[in-house]
Amino acid sequence: MAAAASMMPIFGQQISARSDLVPDWTREEVSTGTTIMAVEYDGGVVIGADSRTTTGAYIANRVTDKLTRIHDKIYCCRSGSAADTQAIAEVVSYQLGFHSIELEEPPLVETAANLFRASCYRYREELMAGILVAGWDRRKGGQVYCVPIGGMLVRQPVAVGGSGSTYVYGFMDSNYKAGLNKEQCLELTASALSLAMERDGSSGGVIRLASISEEGVERRVILGNQLPKFSTH
Amino acid sequence: MATLTVNRPPIPGFSFENCRRNVLLEGEATKVGCSLPAARKTGTTICGVVFKGGVILGADTRATEGMVVADKNCSKIHYISPNIYCCGAGTAADTEMTTQIISSNLELHSLSTGRLPRVATANRMLKQMLFRYQGYIGAALVLGGVDCNGPHLYSIYPHGSTDKLPYVTMGSGSLAAMAVFEDRYKPDMEEEEAKRLVRDAIAAGIFNDLGSGSNIDLSVITKGNVDYIRPHDEANKKGIRTGDYKYKRGTTAVLSNSVTPLDLEVVEESVQTMDTS
């Protein structure tokens, strides 16, 4: 399907080829198939994700929250292996919390992104994790950092990730302009996610959105029947 | 001093060497035509639901070894702490040992903090252990309990990912059980209604999945009280035989009787002592 779901040699999938009474989706690793997106605007960031977690062809959780809090005003969007991304996010939350206490001030988004990159790069052979780090800090305002599989770190004004992202690169490139405000960013994210969820089998459920700014974090959910509709047939 | 071998510093982390060897051996065995012994699995249907006032966990009681039922009445709801219980699916030994290890560590932790343990703590301990073993410990768990923050329910997968949800199912019969939940779950159910729902979900797994069977065990956890109901429902009682293949004496009439002694000559006699030490 896409980079996030490529055939990487993971031991878990090779373990036993015997077909027992136990069907294959009980042995498949849990993956957040996913579409995730993050957009910067002047004064903050908007992040969004779908809510589907799959084990093979079965949806293990249809209301997943892939927007994980790392610190008060720093969140990450998780895609790839559910176990790997949960473990990394918990480790980084701990490291960042400790660092913030030592610093005696809120941490920088770039610091959080670097902590993610450090873990993702060092264990790149063992992990399958594509993460978007987004948040607000006093020094640089709203920032979005992309840490894809392999452990690269790059700052982008707008980023998408996950298996469903391939379907919305065109939409994103043609519809994103610099200088959008918060409401326009939310609309853009919701639309992009809706289009990806329509086409990607591994993405679906509800759209979870969050906007992070100096005022704080505001979360909302768009339920399945309220998704922006594009199809006429 | 000259040495023939170079001392390599020990590689940190768990060594998965034997796992690679096992995969190779399995390949070799299938080429020759035989198969490696199958680990006993709890084929299983397990589930949990949050209701008004607590959490209900349910499980079937069949343990399989390949295509044979190894245990018709095994207990799949494991004790973690007085207010937390855990259902286990997957490899029976893995679920048993994992829950026992975490139960032990949690008791020590609880004595150290001086407080009743929280479900989130048990969840963290379980997921960190399973992630450390990268999925080789085949334990898929449904963890539920009531603590100072209310009732909580988690599903934990062998690779170490967890989901916190109001209703979860795991095991080979999980699809059948989830179908029942998706149809009839409502938030804030009463205890009796929730017990009926869990019983029906496990029954769906028992009757529609070959890996699940026998009876239904239930565990109702509320604030300050746990009802461990084993069995809650004997859905598969062994039937009573209606007929008998034994014939009564006299069914066949005896016409005549004659006894003929056989003269045998002893050719050789030897004694072999049994080692009873």
Side-chain angles (χ1 to χ4, degrees), chain A residues 11-12 15-18 20-23 25-26 29-30 55 58 60-64 82-84 86-87 90, chain B residues 20 26 35-36 41 64 66-67 124 127 131 136 157 159-163 165 167 171-172 174-175 178 182 210-211:
Chain A
F11 273 117
I15 262 300
S16 184
R18 50 172 61 249
D20 242 344
L21 289 166
V22 186
W25 41 260
T26 52
E29 188 178 337
V30 177
T55 34
Y58 178 64
N61 187 353
R62 58 182 170 87
V63 287
T64 327
D84 290 349
Q86 280 182 14
E90 280 165 17
Chain B
R20 276 189 273 264
E26 201 179 335
S35 55
L36 291 163
K41 295 183 144 280
T64 52
M67 277 280 163
R124 267 296 167 105
K127 76 170 352 179
F131 184 76
Y136 285 100
Y157 291 83
H159 284 264
S161 61
T162 65
D163 290 306
L165 293 164
Y167 55 94
S172 55
S174 65
L175 260 57
M178 185 52 91
E182 288 285 18
L210 295 177

Side-chain angles (χ1 to χ4, degrees), chain A residues 23 28 34 47 50 53 57 65 69 83 96 110 113 118 128 132 149 156 179-181 183 193-194 201 213:
Chain A
E28 284 281 335
T34 295
I47 53 175
D50 73 306
T53 317
D65 184 7
R69 178 192 175 279
L96 200 65
E110 192 173 348
M128 187 161 92
L132 297 178
I149 293 176
Q156 291 177 298
L180 296 170
N181 67 22
E183 283 310 316
L193 289 171
S194 177
S213 64

Side-chain angles (χ1 to χ4, degrees), chain B residues 132-266:
Chain B
R132 201 177 344 135
Y133 287 95
Q134 287 290 289
Y136 285 100
I137 294 185
L141 310 165
V142 167
L143 176 77
V146 180
D147 59 27
C148 56
N149 290 343
H152 303 280
L153 184 66
Y154 292 87
S155 66
I156 307 169
Y157 291 83
H159 284 264
S161 61
T162 65
D163 290 306
K164 185 176 193 305
L165 293 164
Y167 55 94
V168 293
T169 64
M170 294 282 250
S172 55
S174 65
L175 260 57
M178 185 52 91
V180 175
F181 274 162
E182 288 285 18
D183 185 30
R184 284 159 45 187
Y185 170 83
K186 293 186 304 290
D188 286 327
M189 282 182 289
E190 294 299 329
E191 182 174 327
E192 283 312 311
E193 195 186 347
K195 275 163 83 169
R196 268 196 305 272
L197 181 62
V198 173
R199 184 254 157 225
D200 288 343
I202 301 294
I206 286 174
F207 294 118
N208 297 96
D209 173 44
L210 295 177
S212 312
S214 298
N215 313 322
I216 300 168
D217 289 350
L218 233 58
S219 178
V220 183
I221 309 169
T222 51
K223 194 167 181 71
N225 178 250
V226 173
D227 278 330
Y228 193 83
I229 312 168
R230 180 175 149 80
H232 169 69
D233 190 338
E234 281 191 318
N236 291 286
K237 261 220 204 55
K238 191 166 185 173
I240 310 161
R241 250 173 242 199
T242 50
D244 195 8
Y245 282 118
K246 268 204 168 68
Y247 290 100
K248 277 203 309 285
R249 260 181 188 280
T251 308
T252 309
V254 178
L255 294 177
S256 66
N257 237 335
S258 79
V259 180
T260 316
L262 278 171
D263 291 318
L264 294 171
E265 212 181 285
V266 178

Side-chain angles (χ1 to χ4, degrees), chain B residues 21 69 252 267 273:
Chain B
R21 175 208 69 181
V69 175
T252 309
V267 176
T273 48

Side-chain angles (χ1 to χ4, degrees), chain A residues 9-191:
Chain A
I10 302 171
F11 273 117
Q13 285 171 0
Q14 287 173 359
I15 262 300
S16 184
R18 50 172 61 249
S19 57
D20 242 344
L21 289 166
V22 186
D24 74 323
W25 41 260
T26 52
R27 276 172 283 138
E28 284 281 335
E29 188 178 337
V30 177
S31 123
T32 49
T34 295
T35 315
I36 49 176
M37 182 163 167
V39 190
E40 278 175 28
Y41 67 91
D42 184 23
V45 292
V46 161
I47 53 175
D50 73 306
S51 70
R52 183 171 288 185
T53 317
T54 52
T55 34
Y58 178 64
I59 299 172
N61 187 353
R62 58 182 170 87
V63 287
T64 327
D65 184 7
K66 303 180 191 178
L67 308 176
T68 305
R69 178 192 175 279
I70 304 295
H71 206 265
D72 290 345
K73 298 210 179 99
I74 305 176
Y75 274 65
C76 77
C77 308
R78 301 181 289 113
S79 75
S81 155
D84 290 349
T85 54
Q86 280 182 14
I88 298 170
E90 280 165 17
V91 161
V92 172
S93 297
Y94 160 75
Q95 291 172 331
L96 200 65
F98 197 91
H99 169 73
S100 172
I101 288 172
E102 286 183 319
L103 225 55
E104 289 184 337
E105 65 176 48
L108 300 175
V109 187
E110 192 173 348
T111 314
N114 269 291
L115 285 169
F116 269 107
R117 195 251 316 128
S119 294
C120 290
Y121 182 73
R122 177 179 282 246
Y123 298 105
R124 56 183 301 170
E125 304 301 326
E126 287 84 21
L127 294 172
M128 187 161 92
I131 295 172
L132 297 178
V133 186
W136 182 93
D137 62 36
R138 250 167 43 118
R139 196 183 289 185
K140 294 187 188 164
Q143 299 145 72
V144 169
Y145 293 88
C146 192
V147 184
I149 293 176
M152 170 182 90
L153 171 63
V154 69
R155 183 181 172 187
Q156 291 177 298
V158 58
V160 289
S163 57
S165 65
T166 52
Y167 303 101
V168 289
Y169 275 113
F171 177 82
M172 185 189 83
D173 287 335
S174 56
N175 288 70
Y176 172 76
K177 297 176 286 290
L180 296 170
N181 67 22
K182 185 173 86 163
E183 283 310 316
Q184 289 169 320
C185 284
L186 284 163
E187 231 179 87
L188 178 73
T189 309
S191 301

